[in-house]
């Protein structure tokens, strides 16, 4: 595998389910990100991890819970979601945080989440 | 707060025509600037970036962009559009020594035969 991979690619869940999204980067990067992409809205940054420590949490509801067990893996645990949480969830990684010269982000293909 | 404005949510061109996608940013210091492309059902792919040095930046697939500090712009161009260029394009900005990449709302490019 190369680049940034995400599983599953599609997920349908009920409002009472618990599920997890997985992201893995094979680039040796130090920072990882979760974004939410909804139709007709700008890309929303949810969480930022640098060297496995969370450095940013953009007022995301607690029904979204990130986990970064090591610098290559990032999870997004989901529970009691709402229909408005349906979106494309994108994972990204970068060598440095965004404000550094190596801050360009490499994105995975995303997980298309539908909450019924 | 830093912001990115992409003028025109939709741009349509004929195959072979010039592509011009506009991006303006607000920043008090020269930022890092990026253009990404997103094809249907895929993640974002980096087209090109400006960090320092030469203000005209060349990217993949024949695209280029010019950083103009006086105009706070970073417009994306391609001399001749191809059908495969049809996608959504995002301009993004990061301010030095911050940890955020700020994205524009995107421009959907349609290419007609």
């Amino acid at each position: 595998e190369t680049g940034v991979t995400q599983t599953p690619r599609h997920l349908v869940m009920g409002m009472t389910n618990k599920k997890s999204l997985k992201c893995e980067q094979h680039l040796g990067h130090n920072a990882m990100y979760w974004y939410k992409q909804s139709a007709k809205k700008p890309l929303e940054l949810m969480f930022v991890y640098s060297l496995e420590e969370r450095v940013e949490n953009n007022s995301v509801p607690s029904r979204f819970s990130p986990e970064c067990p090591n610098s290559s893996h990032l999870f997004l645990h989901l529970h009691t979601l709402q229909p408005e949480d349906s979106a494309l969830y994108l994972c990204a990684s970068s060598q440095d945080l965004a404000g550094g010269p190596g801050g360009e982000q490499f994105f995975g293909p995303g997980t298309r989440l539908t909450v019924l | 707060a830093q912001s990115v404005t992409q003028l025109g949510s939709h741009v349509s061109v004929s195959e072979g025509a010039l592509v011009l996608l506009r991006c303006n940013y607000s920043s008090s210091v020269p930022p890092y600037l990026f253009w990404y492309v997103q094809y249907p059902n895929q993640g974002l792919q980096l087209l090109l970036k400006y960090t320092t040095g030469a203000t005209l930046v060349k990217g993949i697939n024949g695209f280029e962009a010019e950083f103009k500090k006086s105009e706070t712009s970073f417009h994306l161009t391609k001399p001749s559009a191809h059908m495969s260029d049809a996608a959504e394009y995002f301009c993004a900005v990061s301010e030095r020594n911050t940890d955020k990449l700020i994205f524009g709302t995107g421009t959907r490019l349609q290419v007609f035969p």
Side-chain angles (χ1 to χ4, degrees):
Chain A
E1 293 277 15
T2 58
V4 181
T5 57
Q6 290 186 244
T7 53
R9 293 292 310 275
H10 300 271
L11 178 63
V12 179
M13 59 187 288
M15 291 166 60
T16 58
N17 291 159
K18 287 186 181 181
K19 296 287 184 183
S20 295
L21 310 184
K22 179 183 175 182
C23 174
E24 185 172 0
Q25 59 99 355
H26 309 267
L27 300 167
H29 287 168
N30 296 318
M32 297 187 76
Y33 311 79
W34 279 117
Y35 287 89
K36 177 183 179 183
Q37 187 177 33
S38 305
K40 300 181 182 179
K41 282 188 175 181
L43 217 59
E44 298 174 53
L45 178 65
M46 300 176 71
F47 300 103
V48 180
Y49 276 82
S50 175
L51 297 172
E52 303 149 46
E53 288 193 17
R54 192 191 305 181
V55 297
E56 186 77 36
N57 175 0
N58 272 2
S59 303
V60 178
S62 60
R63 56 185 184 270
F64 295 92
S65 174
E67 180 190 0
C68 187
N70 55 61
S71 59
S72 299
H73 293 86
L74 186 64
F75 295 89
L76 189 62
H77 303 300
L78 316 171
H79 65 98
T80 59
L81 294 191
Q82 305 297 311
E84 59 265 29
D85 296 323
S86 299
L88 182 68
Y89 287 84
L90 292 166
C91 175
S93 72
S94 62
Q95 182 60 48
D96 303 319
L97 287 173
E104 68 264 31
Q105 295 178 11
F106 295 79
F107 285 79
T111 295
R112 175 69 62 187
L113 173 67
T114 303
V115 182
L116 302 176
Chain B
Q2 183 151 183
S3 65
V4 179
T5 303
Q6 289 185 243
L7 287 175
S9 58
H10 289 83
V11 170
S12 297
V13 300
S14 299
E15 193 173 19
L18 170 72
V19 175
L20 170 61
L21 305 182
R22 299 178 187 273
C23 173
N24 288 86
Y25 65 91
S26 66
S27 177
S28 57
V29 296
Y32 296 119
L33 297 156
F34 308 86
W35 275 100
Y36 285 86
V37 61
Q38 185 177 31
Y39 299 101
N41 300 315
Q42 294 188 28
L44 278 67
Q45 179 184 4
L46 181 68
L47 271 179
L48 50 77
K49 66 175 181 179
Y50 169 80
T51 55
T52 187
T55 56
L56 181 63
V57 181
K58 294 188 185 298
I60 61 172
N61 302 338
F63 284 94
E64 60 183 37
E66 187 171 9
F67 167 56
K68 290 188 176 180
K69 182 180 175 182
S70 60
E71 299 177 8
T72 58
S73 69
F74 191 58
H75 302 330
L76 182 70
T77 59
K78 181 173 180 177
S80 176
H82 193 273
M83 296 295 288
S84 61
D85 294 328
E88 186 135 25
Y89 292 80
F90 293 91
C91 180
V93 172
S94 72
E95 217 164 80
R96 291 159 200 255
N97 302 317
T98 68
D99 57 12
K100 286 186 180 178
L101 193 58
I102 308 298
F103 285 86
T105 50
T107 297
R108 184 166 298 279
L109 176 67
Q110 286 186 299
V111 182
F112 293 101

